[in-house]
Amino acid sequence: METSDILKKVRKIEIKSRGLSNQIFSGQYHSAFKGRGMAFSEVREYQYGDDIRNIDWNVTARFNHPYIKIFDEERELTVTLLIDVSGSNEFGSRQWLKEEMMTEIAAVLAFSAIQNNDKVGVIFFSDKVEKFIPPKKGLSHILRIIRELIDFKPESQKTNISEALRFLTNAMKKRCTAFLISDFMDSGFEDALRIAGNKHDLAALHIIDERDLSIPDMGLVRMYSKEANKAIWVDTSSRAVRNDYAAYAESRMKMLELAFRKSGVDVARFRTGQDYVKPLLGLFKARESRR
């Protein structure tokens, strides 16, 4: 892509993303994620209606009366975007490719973060960490991230979510708010997800295309997998083939749901060709309601 085309695209995404973060997301983002960026300062006696999760059990045992921790909100958070750049994201049966939807969602999150004076960093991953942009503040930093999102060319087409999560766990020494943005065409990452979710405030953003879930009757079709780097002929006119594909997709979705639930990681699902505002707001509001 020519530099002038990249700049035009960056500008277009900047205008749309800043508008959404200004009008819709900044307040919701702040109230949804500020609770994990808190510093313990003192204790006081428990009062009716206090969050029992904030009880200081050591002080309570010492005085034989419940006490809760008082927190001061830290002035800033660190936000880390883990973005899947593997080959399966260069697909979309609707208006958008998965990677285009990921780019806009990541841009909105980045602008929401800097409006709250937060630092933003990015981990691009395939089956390895392709690039790490350390967290910083400022508009120029966000524009650099958007440009990388648009024009980044990964070395590998495969996916290893565990590798990205292990890098997050090791690279980010202090607790951060992290968004894992992927189509989750992978398996065996449950342990890494649980460990990263325990250390950091992690949310999963699952990007789905309708063809990930089912295939229509299109006759004999040549299907190509960028991740596997091979093509196969599939007889989609066969009901058995279509049913097997749908059954496999359903079992994979159940596996993912179980992995997220066991690890305690919040998840929002986004479908290509549909508006991403509603599920993103839904994630923020669900988190806010639990505060």
Side-chain angles (χ1 to χ4, degrees):
M1 190 182 294
E2 296 290 335
T3 301
S4 60
D5 293 335
I6 294 171
L7 292 175
K8 286 177 185 175
K9 203 163 185 180
V10 168
R11 181 62 177 155
K12 185 177 179 181
I13 291 174
E14 179 195 359
I15 291 169
K16 182 175 181 180
S17 301
R18 288 183 83 171
L20 283 170
S21 62
N22 283 331
Q23 297 166 26
I24 303 172
F25 290 119
S26 59
Q28 292 285 351
Y29 163 89
H30 186 66
S31 55
F33 292 95
K34 69 177 181 180
R36 297 295 180 91
M38 306 287 269
F40 168 61
S41 62
E42 58 180 301
V43 296
R44 65 164 169 78
E45 288 191 37
Y46 176 84
Q47 298 173 3
Y48 178 76
D50 286 335
D51 191 337
I52 62 171
R53 293 175 296 181
N54 293 333
I55 290 178
D56 188 317
W57 294 106
N58 291 328
V59 178
T60 296
R62 193 179 312 145
F63 292 98
N64 200 29
H65 186 80
Y67 280 77
I68 67 164
K69 296 176 182 178
I70 304 297
F71 294 88
D72 291 328
E73 188 179 334
E74 292 180 344
R75 284 181 293 178
E76 64 182 40
L77 300 175
T78 296
V79 175
T80 306
L81 306 175
L82 293 87
I83 300 174
D84 185 348
V85 292
S86 62
S88 62
N89 296 301
E90 298 177 28
F91 175 78
S93 61
R94 292 288 183 175
Q95 185 178 353
W96 278 8
L97 300 179
K98 293 179 191 176
E99 63 184 9
E100 291 173 327
M101 176 171 266
M102 288 180 181
T103 296
E104 285 208 8
I105 292 171
V108 167
L109 290 170
F111 277 115
S112 296
I114 64 166
Q115 285 182 11
N116 282 280
N117 202 36
D118 297 340
K119 296 177 183 176
V120 184
V122 179
I123 299 168
F124 292 100
F125 71 93
S126 54
D127 60 348
K128 61 181 181 179
V129 172
E130 297 269 356
K131 187 166 190 171
F132 174 49
I133 302 176
K136 284 178 62 178
K137 296 181 184 180
L139 178 59
S140 61
H141 179 65
I142 300 304
L143 295 179
R144 178 201 170 190
I145 288 173
I146 295 173
R147 178 169 180 156
E148 291 281 3
L149 283 164
I150 292 169
D151 201 41
F152 189 79
K153 300 292 187 292
E155 292 181 7
S156 174
Q157 297 291 325
K158 298 179 180 180
T159 310
N160 188 329
I161 293 173
S162 294
E163 193 67 28
L165 290 169
R166 281 194 289 266
F167 184 88
L168 171 72
T169 301
N170 294 327
M172 306 303 292
K173 302 303 180 185
K174 293 183 179 180
R175 186 177 180 88
C176 73
T177 295
F179 296 93
L180 175 57
I181 309 174
S182 175
D183 61 359
F184 291 92
M185 293 291 183
D186 192 18
S187 60
F189 55 83
E190 291 85 356
D191 286 346
L193 188 72
R194 177 180 48 79
I195 292 168
N198 285 336
K199 182 176 180 181
H200 299 292
D201 187 6
L202 180 63
L205 309 188
H206 186 186
I207 313 300
I208 306 168
D209 189 88
E210 64 176 344
R211 292 287 81 85
D212 294 338
L213 306 176
S214 64
I215 49 175
D217 182 353
M218 301 179 291
L220 193 61
V221 177
R222 187 173 183 266
M223 293 186 175
Y224 176 70
S225 168
K226 288 204 74 170
E227 295 211 15
N229 193 28
K230 67 179 182 180
I232 58 171
W233 287 96
V234 178
D235 183 10
T236 63
S237 65
S238 166
R239 184 182 296 274
V241 168
R242 297 197 304 274
N243 288 345
D244 286 348
Y245 186 94
Y248 170 76
E250 184 179 359
S251 67
R252 200 178 67 82
M253 289 291 284
K254 287 180 179 177
M255 179 274 292
L256 288 172
E257 187 65 44
L258 182 62
F260 294 137
R261 188 166 63 249
K262 280 187 172 181
S263 63
V265 170
D266 290 320
V267 60
R269 292 189 170 83
F270 305 81
R271 292 178 181 261
T272 56
Q274 295 183 10
D275 186 18
Y276 57 78
V277 170
K278 188 173 181 180
L280 202 52
L281 274 177
L283 172 68
F284 290 178
K285 288 177 179 177
R287 293 174 62 91
E288 185 181 0
S289 68
R290 295 202 301 272
R291 294 296 174 206

